[in-house]
Amino acid sequence: MNRILIAAASCLIAAPAFAQEQGRYVYADFESSVPHIDLAECPEGLAQGDVICRVTMNEDALHVYVFEAEGDRPFVSVHAYYDEDFDLVLTK
């Protein structure tokens, strides 16, 4: 009986990791683990439907992550822009 309880507890502990291994990536996972900037609007051409966009910087590239705006906000896509593809403009 103890072996059954230990096996059942192990399955419950592994369930979140198993779900992520199955390709289900949601905004809560991204928010807590990836340094990023929230974009007020998605870049033109990326927004299809009700989505939110976040941007990260890595060496000479910007990466725009797109997530659905409703529910648990599943990941939709990521787009890379290299230094020759954009101009960085700072505003107040």
Side-chain angles (χ1 to χ4, degrees), residues 15-73:
F18 179 77
Q20 192 162 350
E21 286 178 14
Q22 297 302 310
R24 183 107 171 113
Y25 188 59
V26 296
Y27 182 68
D29 298 327
F30 176 85
E31 175 74 27
S32 64
S33 63
V34 179
H36 64 278
I37 298 170
D38 296 352
L39 296 178
E41 297 177 359
C42 291
E44 190 174 321
L46 293 187
Q48 300 218 350
D50 193 14
V51 295
I52 60 171
C53 290
R54 304 298 186 248
V55 67
T56 66
M57 296 181 354
N58 184 16
E59 295 184 19
D60 64 343
L62 294 177
H63 302 280
V64 178
Y65 290 80
V66 182
F67 296 89
E68 289 183 14
E70 300 297 323
D72 59 357
R73 297 182 175 179

